[in-house]
RNA sequence: GGAGAGGUGGCUGAGUGGUCGAAAGCGGCGGUCUCGAAAACCGUUAUACCCUUUGGGUAUCCAGGGUUCGAAUCCCUGCCUCUCCGCCA
C-alpha cells in the first residue's frame, strides 16, 4: 500500500510505476477522484458533528438545570439523520478507495533497471566456476529416479501432476539441507520460527499476495483460509496490527515451511521434475527493520542467501530484476540463480525483495522509536533457499561419472557422515 | 462440538446513557532536591484523519452494525482470549 498523500501529490510517478510493472488494474485517476470526494464529505460531516457535539452538551446542561430542550432535540434529530447519510456515503467511498488502493503496486527503486521482462535484468555478480564435467550429466529427474531418491509418478498418483515425492536418501537429503540452512542462519542471528502454514485472508493481504494473486493460491473451502505460498506470509505478518518497540529491531527471522502454489497457467517452461510444482519446501528469511538501515540490511540479506550456496560450493549468479520482472509489492528484487549441470543453465533458487513500508502499511505494522514517534517498519524477505531447486542442483552438480552422487561436505554431519549416495 | 466468563491507553485497572480521550496506580520522559544516585515531590505522557495549519476540528474504550438529541456504558452480529466438558496427535 502506498501512502495516499504520495499518490495525491505525485500521481504521475505512481502511474509510471504501475505502467512499468505492467499493472493494468491500477487506476490512479479514479483514486484521485475518490479521494477528493471523500475529503469533501469529511469536511462537511465533521462540521456537522462538531455542531452536534456542541448542542449535545448544551442539552445535557439544560437537562441538569431542568430547562426545556425539546425544540433543539428535534433539530438534532434532523442533524443526526444528515450525519448518518453522509457517514454512509463516506463508508462506501472508503471501501471503494481501499479496493482501488489495494491494486496500486509499489514503486520500483531508482536503482532498478527499466525493462519489460527478464531480458532487462542485470547480472550483478557471479560466484564459482562452471566446470566441464567430462561426461553426460543426467538431469535430476532421471538420476533421481535411477537412484530411487524420488518417485514422481507416485506423487501424481497421490495428488495429481505437479507434485513430487522424495524417498530414502532423497528425503534424508532434503532434511539434511533444511537443517544445514536453519543452523547456518541461526548462527548468523536469525530467530527460528515455526508458524502456521494456513493463514487468513488478512495476512495474505498484508504481504500483498491478495488481491492480485488470489487465483494462484490454494484456499480452504469452509473457512476462507489460504495455504501459504511462501513463509514470507506468516513470518512477516507476525506483528500485523502492532506497534512494536524499537529495541526489538532489527528482527531477523528464519523458518522452514512448505509452499503451496496453484501455478495456474505455468505449464511449459522449466517444469520437469521438481522445477515447478504445487508444493515445495523452503527455508525463508524475513527481516523487519527500521527505515534508516533498510538498504544495508537488504544487501546483507542477499549475501545471507548466497552463503547457503557458497557453503555447498555450487556456482551461481545474482541478478537485479528489471521493473517488468518484479512482483507487485517489491521495491527492489535480486534473484539468485544456481547452476544446473543437467540442463546446463542457471535456475532461479532464491528471490530477495525489499518492500520498504509497502507491506507495513498494508499490515499496519509500526514501531515506536526513541522519540516515541510511531513509524512504519520496513520489511524484506528472501528464500534461503528453495529446496525444490536446491536438490536438483546437488543431484546434478555433485553427480559422478559412475552414476553416484557425492554428498557435499557441509551436509555430511547431518547424514551420519555418509559421503555418497548410490 | 457444548456450556460459561471476559476483551478499556505502554502495562494493571475504575467507570450510575450527558463537561469521559477516559479515574487511580505502575512504567516512560522532563524538572526540583543531591557531589551523584535512590527516595520524595511537581509536571508531562495515545493514534489516525480533515481544515481556512505557531491554530481549529473529527474519530477511536476488540471489530462492524443498531437504539438515542447524546454510547466505553444499552441491543445485535462477528473476531479473539480464558475456564469447564467432549473429541483428539
Amino acid at each position: 500500500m502506498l501512502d495516499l498523500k504520495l499518490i495525491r501529490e505525485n500521481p504521475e510517478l505512481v502511474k509510471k510505476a504501475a505502467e512499468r510493472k505492467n499493472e493494468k488494474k491500477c487506476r490512479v485517476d479514479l483514486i484521485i477522484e475518490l479521494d477528493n470526494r471523500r475529503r469533501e464529505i469529511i469536511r462537511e460531516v465533521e462540521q456537522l458533528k462538531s455542531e452536534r457535539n456542541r448542542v449535545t452538551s448544551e442539552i445535557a446542561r439544560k437537562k441538569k438545570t431542568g430547562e426545556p430542550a425539546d425544540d433543539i432535540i428535534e433539530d438534532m434529530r434532523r442533524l443526526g439523520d444528515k450525519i448518518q447519510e453522509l457517514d454512509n456515503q463516506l463508508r462506501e467511498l472508503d471501501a471503494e478507495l481501499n479496493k482501488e488502493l489495494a491494486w496500486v503496486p509499489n514503486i520500483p527503486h531508482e536503482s532498478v533497471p527499466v525493462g519489460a521482462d527478464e531480458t532487462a535484468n542485470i547480472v550483478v555478480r557471479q560466484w564459482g566456476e562452471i566446470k566441464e564435467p567430462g561426461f553426460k550429466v543426467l538431469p535430476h529427474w532421471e538420476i533421481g529416479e535411477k537412484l530411487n531418491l524420488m518417485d514422481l509418478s507416485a506423487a501424481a498418483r497421490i495428488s495429481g501432476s505437479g507434485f513430487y515425492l522424495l524417498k530414502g536418501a532423497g528425503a534424508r537429503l532434503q532434511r539434511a539441507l533444511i537443517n544445514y540452512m536453519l543452523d547456518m542462519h541461526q548462527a548468523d542471528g536469525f530467530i527460528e520460527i515455526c508458524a502456521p502454514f494456513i493463514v487468513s485472508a488478512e495476512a495474505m493481504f498484508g504481504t500483498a499476495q491478495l488481491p492480485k494473486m488470489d487465483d494462484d493460491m490454494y484456499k480452504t473451502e469452509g473457512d476462507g483460509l489460504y495455504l501459504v505460498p511462501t513463509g514470507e506470509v506468516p513470518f512477516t505478518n507476525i506483528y500485523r496490527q502492532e506497534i512494536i518497540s524499537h529495541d526489538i529491531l532489527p528482527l531477523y527471522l528464519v523458518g522452514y515451511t512448505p509452499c503451496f502454489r496453484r501455478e495456474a497457467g505455468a505449464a511449459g517452461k522449466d517444469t520437469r521434475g521438481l522445477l515447478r510444482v504445487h508444493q515445495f519446501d523452503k527455508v525463508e528469511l524475513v527481516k523487519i527493520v527500521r527505515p534508516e538501515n533498510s538498504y544495508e540490511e537488504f544487501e546483507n540479506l542477499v549475501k545471507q542467501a548466497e552463503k547457503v550456496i557458497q557453503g555447498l560450493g555450487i556456482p551461481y549468479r545474482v541478478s537485479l530484476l528489471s521493473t517488468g520482472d518484479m512482483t507487485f509489492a517489491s521495491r527492489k528484487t535480486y534473484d539468485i540463480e544456481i547452476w544446473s549441470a543437467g540442463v546446463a543453465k542457471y535456475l532461479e533458487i532464491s528471490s530477495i525483495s525489499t518492500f520498504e513500508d509497502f507491506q507495513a502499511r498494508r499490515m499496519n505494522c509500526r514501531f515506536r522509536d526513541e522519540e516515541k514517534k510511531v513509524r512504519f517498519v520496513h520489511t524484506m524477505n528472501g528464500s534461503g533457499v528453495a529446496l525444490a531447486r536446491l536438490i536438483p542442483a546437488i543431484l546434478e552438480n555433485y553427480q559422478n561419472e559412475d552414476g553416484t552422487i557425492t554428498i557435499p561436505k557441509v551436509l555430511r554431519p547431518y547424514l551420519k557422515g555418509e559421503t555418497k549416495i548410490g
Side-chain angles (χ1 to χ4, degrees), chain A residues 2 6-7 10-29 31 100-109 114-116 212 322-331 358:
Chain A
L2 292 180
L6 177 93
I7 302 175
N10 308 283
E12 293 311 315
L13 178 77
V14 178
K15 275 188 206 173
K16 200 163 73 184
E19 215 169 281
R20 286 177 173 169
K21 278 195 169 178
N22 203 21
E23 190 46 71
K24 297 199 169 61
K25 292 200 182 180
C26 173
R27 298 188 281 188
V28 176
D29 290 331
I31 287 168
E100 293 300 329
L101 282 174
W103 284 97
V104 179
N106 203 352
I107 298 168
H109 190 263
V114 175
K212 188 177 162 66
S322 75
T323 53
D325 203 25
M326 297 168 81
T327 59
F328 178 83
S330 177
R331 184 114 163 90
F358 190 82

Side-chain angles (χ1 to χ4, degrees), chain A residues 327-347:
Chain A
T327 59
F328 178 83
S330 177
R331 184 114 163 90
K332 185 170 182 176
T333 300
Y334 290 103
D335 271 5
I336 301 177
E337 295 168 295
I338 196 164
W339 179 251
S340 169
V343 290
K345 61 178 176 184
Y346 284 103
L347 292 173

